Amino acid sequence: RLEPKLSLIENETPPSQIALALLEGAYVHVCLPGNSQDISLSISFVKFSNVFKELAHGLVWDERSFFKCLVPVILRHKARLNKTFRDAIINTWIDWLKAPPSEENENTSTGTSTRKKKRRHGCIESAAHEYLILLLNEWASNFGNILMPRDLLLKIAIEVAEVVNATEFQQDRKLSELWKNDDIGFAHIKVQYERLLSLLPGTHSVQWKNAVGIKSDIVADGENRKGDQKAIEIKVD
C-alpha cells in the first residue's frame, strides 16, 4: 500500500513568526491590570522585551498590531500605574526604537564577517514611534502631573526624536526635514507630535523644536508678556 504524498503548503507562515505572534499575545496579557503585581510588572516587561526582540531579530518597529493592542492595555492602569513600571515602559520602548547594534556581524574566531543587507530607512515613520508618542499624549492629557509631568514629557520627547533620527542614514529622512516637507508617510506621527506640543507650555514647545531643528513660530510666554506690556505702554502714551 502506497503512502499518500504530503502536500506542501505554499506561503506557509514561518515558525518564528508564529512564535512571535504568540509571544506578543502573552506580552499584552501580562500587562493587563490584575494579572501581575505592580512590583513585578516592570521586571516582567523587560524580560518579555528581551524575548520579543530576539524573535523579531532586533527589529520590532513595524509590529503595528502589537502596539495597537499594548497601548490600550497600559492605559487601563490609569493613574494607578506604578511610576517604576512607567519608567520601565518608556525605557524599553525607546530601546525598541534603536537600530540593531551593527549592520555587520563579525566572527572573531575565524576573522570573517557577514554583512547584512543595509536598511534603506530607519524607524522614524514606524508604528513603534507613532504609538509611543500616542501613549505619552494619553498619559499627559488624561493623568497630567500624576504620570507625566510636563518637564518629563519634554525630556522624553527630545530623547525620542534623537533616537529615531539616529536610525536614519539620509539627511532628508531626519525628523526636521519630514516635518518641514509635510511628508505623507510622516503625517500621522506629526499629528501626534502637534498634540504633544499643544500639551506643553510655550517655552517647552520652543525648546523641543529647537532641539530637533524645527523653526518655531511660537513666542515664549515670557516674551508674549513683555510684548503685551510694551503694547500697553505705547497705547497709554
Side-chain angles (χ1 to χ4, degrees):
R1 185 176 178 180
L2 296 175
E3 293 290 334
K5 292 183 178 180
L6 296 175
S7 58
L8 297 176
I9 302 175
E10 293 185 2
N11 300 321
E12 185 177 6
T13 304
S16 60
Q17 290 187 19
I18 296 174
L20 179 61
L22 292 172
L23 185 279
E24 289 175 349
Y27 206 156
V28 171
H29 180 74
V30 80
C31 291
L32 282 166
N35 282 349
S36 298
Q37 294 182 353
D38 289 343
I39 298 175
S40 63
L41 262 176
S42 57
I43 300 173
S44 300
F45 198 86
V46 174
K47 287 184 176 179
F48 267 89
S49 173
N50 293 334
V51 183
F52 180 42
K53 290 192 298 180
E54 184 176 348
L55 288 175
H57 304 292
L59 284 177
V60 301
W61 298 339
D62 296 316
E63 296 296 321
R64 178 170 292 275
S65 297
F66 169 66
F67 297 122
K68 192 173 183 178
C69 294
L70 183 61
V71 168
V73 165
I74 292 173
L75 291 175
R76 286 178 65 177
H77 288 267
K78 299 182 178 179
R80 297 186 302 273
L81 185 74
N82 183 285
K83 289 183 173 59
T84 302
F85 183 31
R86 177 204 64 188
D87 294 342
I89 292 170
I90 294 169
N91 293 332
T92 300
W93 212 304
I94 289 175
D95 189 51
W96 290 341
L97 291 174
K98 294 176 182 178
S102 177
E103 293 295 324
E104 182 177 290
N105 288 340
E106 185 174 347
N107 188 327
T108 55
S109 61
T110 61
T112 60
S113 63
T114 303
R115 185 175 294 276
K116 297 179 182 179
K117 186 178 180 180
K118 193 173 183 179
R119 293 174 290 104
R120 293 183 60 190
H121 298 314
C123 72
I124 203 159
E125 293 179 347
S126 68
H129 187 192
E130 176 186 359
Y131 278 92
L132 175 55
I133 303 304
L134 171 63
L135 177 61
L136 296 175
N137 284 337
E138 291 298 319
W139 276 342
S141 59
N142 293 318
F143 311 116
N145 288 330
I146 298 175
L147 275 182
M148 190 51 58
R150 295 309 185 259
D151 288 345
L152 178 61
L153 180 60
L154 172 63
K155 177 179 177 293
I156 296 169
I158 291 175
E159 183 177 359
V160 170
E162 291 173 348
V163 169
V164 296
N165 271 336
T167 67
E168 300 291 348
F169 295 113
Q170 302 172 17
Q171 183 59 36
D172 61 358
R173 294 280 306 167
K174 301 297 184 180
L175 193 151
S176 59
E177 293 299 315
L178 296 178
W179 186 290
K180 179 178 65 176
N181 297 327
D182 288 324
D183 183 85
I184 296 176
F186 183 70
H188 51 297
I189 299 175
K190 183 177 180 180
V191 168
Q192 292 299 329
Y193 271 112
E194 288 175 335
R195 181 186 173 195
L196 185 150
L197 293 176
S198 72
L199 296 170
L200 292 173
T203 52
H204 285 47
S205 181
V206 170
Q207 190 175 342
W208 181 84
K209 287 192 171 185
N210 289 339
V212 299
I214 297 173
K215 183 179 179 181
S216 177
D217 296 326
I218 302 174
V219 180
D221 293 341
E223 293 179 5
N224 273 332
R225 287 193 293 270
K226 290 179 182 178
D228 292 342
Q229 183 65 32
K230 185 176 181 181
I232 292 172
E233 290 174 355
I234 293 173
K235 187 175 180 181
V236 170
D237 293 340

